[in-house]
Amino acid sequence: MSIEVRIPTILRTYTGGEKAVTAEGASLAALIDDLEANHPGIKERLIEDKNGADTLRRFVNVYINDEDVRFMGSLEAELSDGDQVVVLPAVAGGSN
Amino acid sequence: MAGAPTLACVLTIDQATYDAIVAHAKRDHPDECCGIVAGPEGSDRPERLVEMVNAAGSPTFYEFDSAELLDLYKQMWANDEEPVVVYHSHTATEAYPSRTDIGLASEPNAHYVLVSTRHWAEARDETGDGNNDAPIEFRSYSIVDGEVTEEEISVVPARPAP
């Protein structure tokens, strides 16, 4: 199983500057664990602990084949060989 | 970050793009406006203005819609572009990055432009004139690892040749 993961500029410190890496996992959670095994520190930037459960960070967007994973079960979203995953930090802010 | 001195950068932007960002901020007031100016990767040249919808639709917060964000980045990857400028407006406060802006800044190579419409809106509300001459604050910053550095802005008549 091989899944291409597109890495945003701000997280490329974890991938040795690579814009895309391959990883594997049958779910997004498993994929992120696999990423962490090869690129230590990256998981913490994607996931936070909320009431004892791993949750995708509010201002991190992850897409599987162009679909926002928040509409596909978030960390439980299923993955198949050849899927394309994109990670993009939200572009957000404001005066408050 | 030890040892590396913080060098002040300059944002060079053409007048038409500058004016379009100001116009966008006025149009969306009292909500915050947002968008980017893309340019060739590594060039530091803001060339292609992309006005985005503020999915938060708020006077105190902005966020790109997640599907539009992906479309935007896919376009830029296809064109070998990157976001050279990321801009948004503050509508009641100064054009300086808030703690939220700093915490969420995720493009270390971008110029973060902040526009404030507060003085323009006050003048408009007093005189009823939306074309008043009250100053629009237009400032640029780099935001890297929570560190904010204000940059000079050079507005040029037309985009300098590559």
Side-chain angles (χ1 to χ4, degrees):
Chain A
M1 178 184 254
S2 169
I3 291 160
E4 191 197 46
V5 186
R6 179 102 199 184
I7 305 293
T9 310
I10 191 134
L11 297 183
R12 288 181 197 155
T13 47
Y14 300 100
T15 59
E18 293 295 323
K19 290 181 178 180
V21 298
T22 52
E24 48 190 66
S27 68
L28 181 58
L31 182 88
I32 290 173
D33 283 336
D34 188 54
L35 278 175
E36 174 69 17
N38 293 301
H39 311 284
I42 200 166
K43 181 176 178 177
E44 157 76 18
R45 302 294 297 271
L46 304 176
I47 281 178
E48 63 189 333
D49 181 279
K50 219 171 204 176
N51 306 322
D54 277 354
T55 316
L56 195 59
R57 286 187 179 274
R58 160 74 176 85
F59 292 106
V60 172
N61 295 314
V62 180
Y63 308 85
I64 299 173
N65 303 330
D66 295 349
E67 178 128 19
D68 189 327
V69 298
R70 289 196 171 83
F71 303 110
M72 315 170 63
S74 209
L75 291 175
E76 266 91 72
E78 289 177 13
L79 287 163
S80 314
D81 194 28
D83 280 349
Q84 293 216 314
V85 172
V86 171
V87 178
L88 277 180
V91 180
S95 58
N96 70 345
Chain B
M1 304 299 283
T6 311
L7 296 172
C9 293
V10 178
L11 166 63
T12 303
I13 189 167
D14 66 279
Q15 186 73 53
T17 304
Y18 181 102
D19 291 346
I21 291 173
V22 170
H24 186 196
K26 288 180 179 176
R27 199 165 66 241
D28 283 10
H29 186 94
D31 286 346
E32 295 193 2
C33 78
C34 56
I36 65 144
V37 191
E41 221 173 303
S43 72
D44 203 32
R45 291 201 314 270
E47 294 187 351
R48 188 169 71 85
L49 176 73
V50 186
E51 293 185 1
M52 300 295 287
V53 171
N54 178 0
S58 157
T60 55
F61 195 73
Y62 80 96
E63 182 170 15
F64 292 9
D65 172 76
S66 103
E68 290 180 7
L69 175 73
L70 179 63
D71 286 345
L72 172 68
Y73 272 78
K74 285 173 70 177
Q75 261 175 31
M76 290 195 286
W77 294 331
N79 297 340
D80 292 320
E81 290 175 324
E82 64 187 352
V84 178
V85 167
V86 179
Y87 72 88
H88 75 283
S89 61
H90 286 174
T91 56
T93 55
E94 70 172 325
Y96 192 86
S98 66
R99 279 164 65 174
T100 314
D101 292 332
I102 297 165
L104 294 178
S106 55
E107 289 291 354
N109 303 323
H111 303 274
Y112 278 87
V113 164
L114 275 106
V115 173
S116 175
T117 48
R118 59 180 173 164
H119 297 307
W120 167 82
E122 278 165 16
R124 184 196 58 178
D125 294 346
E126 275 171 27
T127 64
D129 180 7
N131 294 316
N132 68 71
D133 295 331
I136 294 273
E137 297 164 57
F138 190 110
R139 297 166 72 181
S140 180
Y141 308 86
S142 80
I143 307 177
V144 180
D145 291 334
E147 194 178 329
V148 177
T149 311
E150 183 154 15
E151 309 171 322
E152 276 180 53
I153 299 178
S154 166
V155 182
V156 295
R159 191 193 316 135

